[in-house]
Amino acid sequence: MKNLDILKARYIAHRGLHNRETGVPENSMAAFAAAVDAGLPVEFDLHLLKDGQIVVFHDDNLVRMTGLDKDIKDCTYDEIKDLTLYDTEERIPLLEDVLRLADGKVLLDIELKTDLPAGQLEAALCPLLDAYAGAFVVKSFSPFSVQWFHKHRPDYIRGQLSCDFRDADLRPLSKFICKHMLLHALAKPDFIAYALDSLPNRKVARFRKRGLPVLVWTIRSEEELERAREYGDGFVCETMPPPSRG
């Protein structure tokens, strides 16, 4: 049986314990080291590069974090390894380095980005996670990614990410399907990860009553945490240290 309790009553550090003002950018080795030192579960994002390497980075394009206007999926690691994050000395981490740093000390909440067809990043990721001794969960906005794990790694704890997609570049029907997770029966997730600013949602509440844990993202204040408690079981927090109550 999967231990879904590892998701409950948790503060999860969104993209690590980062603070740009103090020189610790999101999804950096410094941010992950700070979270591990604090004993906090870590949330981070993965992309597959053109050469098959897996890196930890949020955006599809490099420009916001590095100044280079290029899609990350079109790069090799050699092309980006010397890019710095914002105005710091931190660089884009390889997943294997993050796994080595975490070393089973904290839960890893791993988001697979959706700039490639489902199956490519997933297949490249599995050998690394199969060899990793610590606790982790995988999640994606793509129900086809979640379905891939259901078929090929059914023992992984897998989550369906969603929100109301109000600003997404999707057709109205696609927005409706994704918002209400109408492909749930196809994906068969073990948990739901839903945006706080898109809650309440009747479908999310229904899944939670059926026993699926709900992670609420992204929380940035004590007031947002109090609201999130109405809807979720675990909390992905960007303002760190995490809210004091609970």
Side-chain angles (χ1 to χ4, degrees), residues 6-7 9-17 32 35-36 38-44 105-109 235-237 240:
I6 63 173
L7 295 167
R10 293 290 192 110
Y11 297 122
I12 301 172
H14 184 236
R15 305 180 198 170
L17 267 178
F32 300 139
V36 171
L40 289 167
V42 181
E43 187 268 357
F44 56 82
K105 297 172 185 173
V106 297
L107 171 69
L108 303 181
D109 177 12
F235 312 99
V236 181
C237 301
M240 292 294 178

Side-chain angles (χ1 to χ4, degrees), residues 98-129:
V98 176
L99 295 178
R100 192 176 300 113
L101 170 70
D103 193 29
K105 297 172 185 173
V106 297
L107 171 69
L108 303 181
D109 177 12
I110 303 170
E111 177 179 344
L112 284 76
K113 305 308 285 186
T114 58
D115 52 342
L116 291 171
Q120 295 185 31
L121 173 54
E122 293 80 359
L125 173 62
C126 284
L128 292 174
L129 292 185

Side-chain angles (χ1 to χ4, degrees), residues 43-241:
E43 187 268 357
F44 56 82
D45 314 275
L46 299 183
H47 282 277
L48 182 67
L49 301 181
K50 188 167 63 173
D51 60 3
Q53 297 269 42
I54 300 175
V55 292
V56 179
F57 195 79
H58 177 268
D59 300 355
D60 291 347
N61 191 282
L62 292 157
V63 67
R64 178 178 69 91
M65 293 294 296
T66 73
L68 177 63
D69 187 5
K70 188 173 183 179
D71 287 348
I72 194 167
K73 67 180 174 60
D74 296 327
C75 300
T76 66
Y77 183 63
D78 280 344
E79 292 172 335
I80 67 170
K81 66 181 181 180
D82 294 324
L83 296 176
T84 56
L85 302 175
Y86 292 139
D87 52 356
T88 73
E89 295 302 312
E90 293 292 319
R91 289 169 169 76
I92 299 171
L94 286 166
L95 172 61
E96 59 193 74
D97 292 331
V98 176
L99 295 178
R100 192 176 300 113
L101 170 70
D103 193 29
K105 297 172 185 173
V106 297
L107 171 69
L108 303 181
D109 177 12
I110 303 170
E111 177 179 344
L112 284 76
K113 305 308 285 186
T114 58
D115 52 342
L116 291 171
Q120 295 185 31
L121 173 54
E122 293 80 359
L125 173 62
C126 284
L128 292 174
L129 292 185
D130 289 346
Y132 183 67
F136 64 86
V137 301
V138 294
K139 65 185 182 184
S140 177
F141 279 102
S142 168
F144 303 106
S145 174
V146 183
Q147 179 199 33
W148 191 96
F149 284 113
H150 170 67
K151 179 179 180 180
H152 297 279
R153 290 296 188 279
D155 54 323
Y156 285 11
I157 296 175
R158 57 192 181 274
Q160 180 66 63
L161 269 162
S162 195
C163 59
D164 62 16
F165 296 93
R166 68 188 74 167
D167 298 321
D169 185 19
L170 294 172
R171 295 178 180 178
L173 178 59
S174 296
K175 286 186 179 184
F176 184 84
I177 290 171
C178 293
K179 174 182 178 179
H180 297 290
M181 295 171 288
L182 299 185
L183 296 179
H184 177 87
L186 174 76
K188 295 181 171 61
D190 299 304
F191 69 95
I192 305 297
Y194 215 83
L196 176 61
D197 63 8
S198 300
L199 292 168
N201 177 286
R202 293 179 184 175
K203 199 70 174 286
V204 173
R206 193 173 303 131
F207 286 142
R208 193 180 182 205
K209 284 184 178 180
R210 293 178 186 172
L212 268 68
V214 174
L215 292 185
V216 181
W217 57 274
T218 300
I219 297 162
R220 297 177 174 88
S221 69
E222 192 76 49
E223 292 73 24
E224 289 186 350
L225 175 64
E226 289 304 311
R227 181 164 170 258
R229 290 187 190 282
E230 299 179 40
Y231 310 116
D233 306 288
F235 312 99
V236 181
C237 301
E238 185 149 312
T239 301
M240 292 294 178

